[in-house]
Amino acid sequence: EEIINMICSLLLLLLQVSKQRTCHSIYKCTVCITECHQDVPVLEFPKSSVGLKRRNFVTHPIFFPENDRGPFPRKMTVQIKSLIAKEAPVWYSITGEGADQPPKGLFTVDKNSGWLYVSMPLDREKKDKYELQAHAVAQDGNVKEQPVDIVINVIDQNDNRPIFTQDPFRGSVAEASNIGFEIMTVTATDADDPSTDNADVRYTILSQIPAQPNPNMFSINPVSGAILVGAEGLDREKYPEYTLEIQAADMRGNGYAVKGNAVITITDSNDNAPQFEKTSYNVSVPENKVGAVVVKLPVTDEDEPQSSAWAAKFRIVGGNSGGLFNVSTGLKKQEGIITTVKPLDFERNSKYTLLVIVENEIQFAKLLPTSTATVTVNVIDVNEAPVFDPEKKTISIPEDQKVGNEITVYTASDPDTAKSQKVNDPADWLDVDEDTGLIKVKNPMDRESPLVEDGKYEVLILAMDDGVVPATGTGTLIINVEDVNDNTPTVNSTSISFCHTDPQPVVLSITDEDGPRYSDPFHGEIMGISKDHWIATIINAGKLLTIISTS
């Protein structure tokens, strides 16, 4: 029915424009009336009885185009007619929107003929429909028609261009996105009737800057305005931004057009593998050092600086048996640093060949070949000091060793070079063979020497290699000097005096420099003729001598 109404309105419009005054039969509908009087469409009141008896309203839609150029007032080629006009003169009037209500005076009616007029151009975008009522009253006042509802629909014309909702539109897309990936949607509005082609907008891309590597890097859905990836080859490192000139046109792309811009930023994807600046290194590092920096391996990456797609990480994938080396990433994220985590031993292995691979902190966006570097590590020999094993050696020998006796062998090992050994002997009791480490008695030993503490005598043995700058190692020989009975007891006084008239006992102390096994308890007696007058007695657990007179 809507389509029929539109056809009727268009035919009426054609009649008006062509100024034809012949009667045309138009499809019967609520919009158009088939009866023709005086060569114009006629809007008749329904048959009415005398008086004010109310009947149902009848709606008669009327269509009139917007933007009519006049002259005004403009006859609308629609006439109101009452059947009572056949019997008596009638006065016509209209009320409602655009008549006696705002906008007042937009529509008028010739009170005698019933012709409808419009006084100025209509604008559908301001108001697309007016609702009025038509009235007819006999001039003598005896007959009055029931009001008839009139709906005036404003016919849309394509008088508005599309308008982009923003300019420029901005969007972004990762450089590794696939063809067909939707980036963003551009939109344009059109104030014309959305149910007609006047507001049916279509979108196109007019140009692309830059045009590389393909002038059709992007496509646009003509209906929705969605911009999509149109071709492979997005490369942020070469073309970080594109500007598209876009167009929106109504009438399904054939009407009024407007131009705008869409700016597309290409964001980084991890589509570039980091690369070693050099693929081969030959370095040297001293043996025995832990934490020593072996080499630094700088890399480059074309992805966005400071991003995870740019930051490098490193792995040693070959030649690191035993876990002697470690590789870490430097603070600037573009350098691998190899260090030693265990001591290197030149005598075991003087050269290592490491294979190092570099990747990024995040996975590659696509399959990429990785960069590798070969690091040849030459171990530098260091003059290591001789080492005694054990560091302290303890032996036990009696103190009465004969000069020349062999008492032990104490040697140091040195993996580098030949060595010699010497002895630091404060008592000068020992002699050491510098080649074999054989230790002999040089001079008589004495457990009671002040250089012996608690029966122990310590000797420092030195081992020196034959390096340009000799390295020295030391070991300590601890000798438990075993006691022998090589000291006689001694009385603390060599002469004593007694009073003949009143002799008193005399107590003498006895000492012996030997140890407990060879000292007290002592035995004492009077020798010679004195034993007839004196008695010697040992007291105090055998440590004191008492002499008592018997006469």
Side-chain angles (χ1 to χ4, degrees):
E1 182 178 353
E2 181 179 353
I3 295 175
I4 294 173
N5 291 343
M6 292 179 63
I7 293 172
C8 294
S9 298
L10 290 173
L11 290 173
L12 287 174
L13 178 60
L14 290 172
L15 288 174
Q16 177 183 0
V17 173
S18 62
K19 305 297 182 181
Q20 295 181 12
R21 291 305 181 186
T22 59
C23 182
H24 291 268
S25 178
I26 303 175
Y27 189 91
K28 293 183 178 180
C29 59
T30 57
V31 177
C32 306
I33 307 301
T34 58
E35 296 184 27
C36 295
H37 296 280
Q38 300 176 358
D39 299 328
V40 296
V42 176
L43 179 61
E44 289 192 341
F45 286 87
K47 293 182 179 181
S48 174
S49 301
V50 177
L52 297 176
K53 183 177 180 180
R54 182 175 296 276
R55 297 181 182 179
N56 293 333
F57 291 147
V58 179
T59 302
H60 296 279
I62 299 171
F63 289 81
F64 192 84
E66 65 174 334
N67 303 322
D68 190 277
R69 295 185 178 181
F72 297 101
R74 179 77 152 178
K75 185 183 290 187
M76 296 181 67
T77 68
V78 177
Q79 184 181 20
I80 303 171
K81 192 168 183 65
S82 173
L83 296 179
I84 61 176
K86 297 177 181 180
E87 302 173 0
V90 175
W91 283 339
Y92 299 98
S93 64
I94 55 174
T95 59
E97 297 176 302
D100 60 344
Q101 297 177 16
K104 292 182 178 181
L106 179 59
F107 301 103
T108 60
V109 63
D110 186 302
K111 69 176 182 177
N112 295 311
S113 65
W115 280 102
L116 285 179
Y117 289 85
V118 61
S119 60
M120 64 183 65
L122 302 181
D123 187 347
R124 191 206 66 85
E125 284 69 50
K126 291 183 178 179
K127 190 170 180 62
D128 62 353
K129 182 173 67 175
Y130 296 87
E131 296 181 355
L132 303 92
Q133 287 186 327
H135 306 271
V137 180
Q139 293 184 10
D140 58 10
N142 293 328
V143 181
K144 184 177 182 181
E145 291 276 16
Q146 292 186 77
V148 173
D149 291 332
I150 301 174
V151 176
I152 300 177
N153 294 294
V154 183
I155 300 173
D156 186 43
Q157 291 186 340
N158 192 19
D159 58 345
N160 290 280
R161 293 178 178 273
I163 298 175
F164 278 115
T165 56
Q166 63 186 77
D167 190 16
F169 291 89
R170 293 188 180 274
S172 62
V173 62
E175 59 183 331
S177 298
N178 295 323
I179 295 175
F181 179 83
E182 183 174 326
I183 303 168
M184 61 179 173
T185 299
V186 299
T187 55
T189 60
D190 194 309
D192 290 321
D193 189 350
S195 65
T196 68
D197 287 352
N198 296 338
D200 193 345
V201 178
R202 294 289 188 269
Y203 302 92
T204 53
I205 295 176
L206 300 178
S207 66
Q208 168 193 304
I209 300 175
Q212 292 78 25
N214 186 320
N216 299 308
M217 290 302 298
F218 306 95
S219 63
I220 191 168
N221 185 309
V223 177
S224 68
I227 296 179
L228 316 172
V229 175
E232 294 181 350
L234 292 175
D235 190 339
R236 184 200 67 86
E237 290 71 40
K238 293 182 178 179
Y239 312 107
E241 186 178 271
Y242 287 88
T243 299
L244 305 181
E245 185 179 27
I246 54 177
Q247 175 179 283
D250 57 21
M251 298 299 291
R252 300 191 177 187
N254 299 310
Y256 291 127
V258 63
K259 295 179 181 180
N261 293 283
V263 178
I264 300 175
T265 301
I266 311 303
T267 60
D268 191 39
S269 297
N270 193 13
D271 61 345
N272 291 282
Q275 301 293 319
F276 283 106
E277 291 185 359
K278 292 172 56 179
T279 58
S280 180
Y281 292 83
N282 195 306
V283 297
S284 299
V285 62
E287 64 176 332
N288 300 325
K289 286 190 176 182
V290 175
V293 175
V294 178
V295 67
K296 295 183 178 181
L297 310 172
V299 297
T300 59
D301 195 310
E302 294 182 358
D303 290 314
E304 184 176 359
Q306 310 306 322
S307 69
S308 296
W310 173 86
K313 66 177 183 179
F314 302 83
R315 288 187 294 130
I316 300 175
V317 296
N320 193 27
S321 59
L324 298 174
F325 303 92
N326 177 65
V327 62
S328 60
T329 302
L331 294 177
K332 294 182 179 180
K333 301 291 187 179
Q334 288 281 280
E335 183 180 60
I337 303 174
I338 297 179
T339 56
T340 56
V341 293
K342 296 180 181 179
L344 304 181
D345 190 344
F346 173 85
E347 287 69 37
R348 290 186 178 181
N349 193 347
S350 62
K351 181 181 291 186
Y352 297 86
T353 301
L354 306 177
L355 183 62
V356 185
I357 190 172
V358 61
E359 299 167 313
N360 289 123
E361 288 184 348
I362 61 174
Q363 291 183 344
F364 296 142
K366 56 184 179 181
L367 186 63
L368 296 172
T370 54
S371 179
T372 59
T374 301
V375 180
T376 301
V377 182
N378 300 290
V379 183
I380 301 174
D381 187 25
V382 174
N383 187 16
E384 299 165 282
V387 178
F388 283 90
D389 186 18
E391 291 184 8
K392 291 185 178 182
K393 183 174 182 178
T394 302
I395 62 172
S396 297
I397 58 173
E399 63 178 325
D400 60 349
Q401 290 287 319
K402 293 181 180 181
V403 173
N405 279 0
E406 298 176 359
I407 60 174
T408 189
V409 175
Y410 191 22
T411 60
S413 62
D414 191 329
D416 298 321
T417 56
K419 65 184 184 305
S420 61
Q421 293 188 193
K422 296 182 180 181
V423 62
N424 182 9
D425 178 11
D428 197 26
W429 288 344
L430 305 176
D431 193 11
V432 61
D433 188 297
E434 65 178 19
D435 296 321
T436 65
L438 177 63
I439 298 175
K440 298 180 180 181
V441 177
K442 178 181 180 182
N443 290 303
M445 303 176 67
D446 185 3
R447 178 187 173 279
E448 289 70 46
S449 169
L451 297 175
V452 177
E453 295 183 5
D454 296 327
K456 292 180 172 58
Y457 178 64
E458 290 191 3
V459 179
L460 187 65
I461 310 298
L462 291 83
M464 296 176 291
D465 61 22
D466 59 357
V468 177
V469 178
T472 302
T474 60
T476 302
L477 178 64
I478 301 173
I479 302 176
N480 289 320
V481 183
E482 297 175 351
D483 193 25
V484 296
N485 194 12
D486 60 345
N487 291 282
T488 59
T490 302
V491 179
N492 63 346
S493 179
T494 58
S495 65
I496 57 175
S497 300
F498 291 94
C499 179
H500 180 71
T501 59
D502 185 21
Q504 296 294 323
V506 176
V507 179
L508 302 174
S509 64
I510 306 171
T511 60
D512 193 319
E513 292 183 356
D514 291 323
R517 181 180 175 184
Y518 300 109
S519 60
D520 59 77
F522 301 107
H523 170 73
E525 62 179 274
I526 302 297
M527 303 298 291
I529 62 173
S530 298
K531 64 181 178 181
D532 295 334
H533 305 284
W534 304 91
I535 298 174
T537 305
I538 298 298
I539 62 174
N540 193 26
K543 296 181 179 181
L544 298 177
L545 175 65
T546 302
I547 301 176
I548 303 173
S549 175
T550 58
S551 60

